[in-house]
Amino acid sequence: MILLTFNIVNIEAETKNNLQLSDHERLEITVDNTKAILRILDIHDIKATFFIEVSIIDKLQTLTKAISSQGHEIAFYCKDSSLQEIEEIKKSSQEFLEKQIKGIRQKDAQLPHERLKLMGFNYISNIDNANILFPFKRLKRDTEIHEENGLSMVPESISPYSQLPYNDFVFQVLPMKYYRNMVFETLKNDDFVLIYLNAWQFTDFKAYKFNIPFYRKLNSGKKMEDKLSALLTWINEKEMATSRMKDYIF
């Protein structure tokens, strides 16, 4: 099973030449990038899970409804929100979506599991930091879903052969042929492959002069769209099963 997920988070990088971008303009970039992702998923008729950052989901109600109406799962991405903020926004989001939000993803923050369970979350999908060296320093570890305090803990996937994780950076830099082989070989060994990308990777960095490392600009923007489309084409051609997170776990 392939679990395709996207982190919807505003790009935080500073701009070059003292160019100022407002929070609203950054949000608009995120919206445009997410719409590009939705178009590609629709073309290939594949459903995914969108982890939307807690602090911006109320500002993205129209987009969030569009994601949900197309059959994708809405989950939370927690960057630095408090438990109270998460609880309040979860309640309001479920009201305007008329659906329950079951999943939450964290990177730096580690919120108490018992509190998340009381809020009605069913699973946690934590991710690690990824940079130019990080993916190549990973050690083999458990990639099976397990339960802690009544919550399903979904680990990052990692290739049992290359030892590369399926994070956003690895997808961006690896040639598609190698990446496809990695997915194929991993599914021979594991029950699922969890793939995650960030909406900001679809930014046109020629139009928006963000001050980011050169290796983070590789295959970004339209090239990232083409790369995602190529992966989904291959998935459909091989008739590989895909699933939203909540459906697979439960």
Side-chain angles (χ1 to χ4, degrees):
M1 185 69 70
I2 296 176
L3 307 177
L4 185 62
T5 70
F6 298 91
N7 300 326
I8 310 304
V9 183
N10 280 348
I11 186 167
E12 297 179 336
E14 297 297 325
T15 53
K16 296 180 179 179
N17 303 321
N18 295 318
L19 177 67
Q20 296 299 315
L21 278 180
S22 67
D23 290 342
H24 176 74
E25 289 173 311
R26 290 176 184 267
L27 199 66
E28 286 299 307
I29 294 172
T30 299
V31 169
D32 290 342
N33 292 346
T34 306
K35 287 180 177 178
I37 294 169
L38 287 172
R39 285 194 299 271
I40 296 167
L41 292 172
D42 183 57
I43 290 169
H44 296 279
D45 193 25
I46 288 179
K47 306 306 178 189
T49 298
F50 286 74
F51 289 87
I52 304 178
E53 209 274 304
V54 174
S55 69
I56 64 174
I57 192 167
D58 273 351
K59 303 171 185 176
L60 297 175
Q61 288 196 15
T62 300
L63 178 66
T64 303
K65 287 180 179 178
I67 294 170
S68 181
S69 68
Q70 291 184 30
H72 305 293
E73 178 188 0
I74 301 296
F76 277 175
Y77 183 103
C78 178
K79 188 172 63 175
D80 51 18
S81 298
S82 68
L83 287 166
Q84 183 177 350
E85 290 170 332
I86 294 170
E87 187 169 20
E88 291 174 354
I89 294 174
K90 186 175 189 293
K91 184 179 296 184
S92 64
S93 299
Q94 290 177 160
E95 286 177 356
F96 75 73
L97 284 173
E98 299 181 340
K99 292 181 181 178
Q100 294 292 311
I101 294 174
K102 300 294 186 180
I104 188 168
R105 173 169 283 171
Q106 308 168 96
K107 183 163 65 174
D108 298 319
Q110 294 297 321
L111 300 170
H113 295 171
E114 59 274 12
R115 290 291 301 278
L116 295 177
K117 178 63 178 178
L118 286 173
M119 289 183 203
F121 290 106
N122 287 350
Y123 72 87
I124 297 176
S125 173
N126 287 342
I127 59 175
D128 295 315
N129 285 294
N131 57 38
I132 194 168
L133 295 177
F134 181 79
F136 306 101
K137 295 183 177 180
R138 302 297 294 276
L139 299 176
K140 189 171 183 179
R141 56 190 172 83
D142 186 16
T143 56
E144 294 185 358
I145 297 172
H146 64 279
E147 189 171 303
E148 290 184 14
N149 301 309
L151 290 166
S152 294
M153 309 299 294
V154 188
E156 284 191 64
S157 292
I158 184 170
S159 168
Y161 305 100
S162 67
Q163 294 298 292
L164 289 175
Y166 285 88
N167 61 33
D168 55 303
F169 181 63
V170 169
F171 181 86
Q172 189 168 344
V173 299
L174 278 188
M176 182 50 61
K177 182 177 180 180
Y178 188 94
Y179 193 86
R180 289 197 303 256
N181 289 339
M182 194 168 82
V183 171
F184 188 73
E185 293 299 327
T186 301
L187 287 174
K188 290 181 180 179
N189 186 78
D190 297 334
D191 292 332
F192 69 91
V193 172
L194 171 61
I195 296 171
Y196 67 89
L197 305 176
N198 297 310
W200 66 260
Q201 291 176 281
F202 294 79
T203 303
D204 180 359
F205 290 111
K206 292 181 179 178
Y208 299 98
K209 305 297 184 181
F210 286 105
N211 189 20
I212 63 171
F214 74 93
Y215 56 85
R216 273 306 199 174
K217 295 180 182 178
L218 295 174
N219 299 320
S220 59
K222 183 61 168 60
K223 290 183 179 179
M224 180 61 70
E225 293 181 31
D226 293 341
K227 204 166 188 180
L228 175 60
S229 185
L231 175 66
L232 301 189
T233 297
W234 174 75
I235 288 173
N236 283 334
E237 287 176 348
K238 297 299 181 181
E239 298 182 343
M240 306 177 84
T242 61
S243 175
R244 302 178 300 181
M245 295 277 289
K246 66 178 183 179
D247 298 327
Y248 180 73
I249 296 169
F250 305 105

